[in-house]
Amino acid sequence: VQLQASGGGLAQPGGSLRLSCAASGRTAGDYVMGWFRQAPGKEREFVAAIRRRENNKVYADSVKGRFTIPRDNAENTVYLQMNSLKPEDTAVHYCAMTARRLIITAMGLERMYHYWGQGTQVTVSS
């Protein structure tokens, strides 16, 4: 499986950005795709995840109400729609995928993901 992330860039506080992550290769099944991010000097943290078939979605508390994770199953693509951006959202954002059937409470655990895309930088600054 290969993951290709795109869509990062510079946004002003209160602005929006949309990240994309396209999966190719063995993508059949009820996989989970997620987004994680790593700010300078900090550990990588969970942002959001979605299960392919059942559409279960999980969000980190820090992004609830601001970010959504829509998907396009036909294109094996997930997005991260980021609204009301804050300077603290500045980080390298990574998409990830696992073929494991995760329970909802496990969808935010980094160690559960097998495949990772390259990071894409998101900078929120005026």
Side-chain angles (χ1 to χ4, degrees):
V1 174
Q2 294 80 42
L3 301 176
Q4 181 68 43
S6 61
L10 175 65
Q12 292 188 339
S16 298
L17 282 174
R18 183 178 174 99
L19 306 183
S20 300
C21 179
S24 60
R26 298 184 65 179
T27 56
D30 189 20
Y31 55 78
V32 174
M33 292 186 74
W35 289 95
F36 292 77
R37 66 187 182 185
Q38 187 168 21
K42 295 187 177 181
E43 293 186 352
R44 190 156 58 184
E45 63 176 7
F46 169 72
V47 178
I50 184 169
R51 178 178 289 153
R52 181 174 184 266
R53 287 181 179 172
E54 298 172 359
N55 206 32
N56 300 122
K57 300 177 183 180
V58 180
Y59 297 95
D61 288 343
S62 59
V63 306
K64 281 180 181 177
R66 301 189 298 122
F67 292 10
T68 59
I69 185 169
R71 61 172 166 74
D72 182 340
N73 280 351
E75 298 295 329
N76 291 320
T77 300
V78 292
Y79 305 91
L80 186 67
Q81 178 65 46
M82 304 182 292
N83 300 325
S84 301
L85 283 163
K86 303 176 181 180
E88 51 263 43
D89 294 319
T90 295
V92 178
H93 285 64
Y94 299 89
C95 64
M97 176 180 161
T98 177
R100 293 181 177 179
R101 283 189 56 81
L102 301 180
I103 58 176
I104 290 178
T105 53
M107 288 171 63
L109 299 178
E110 182 177 342
R111 66 179 183 272
M112 295 296 180
Y113 289 81
H114 300 128
Y115 308 104
W116 292 83
Q118 86 288 5
T120 183
Q121 177 70 45
V122 171
T123 302
V124 183
S125 175
S126 55

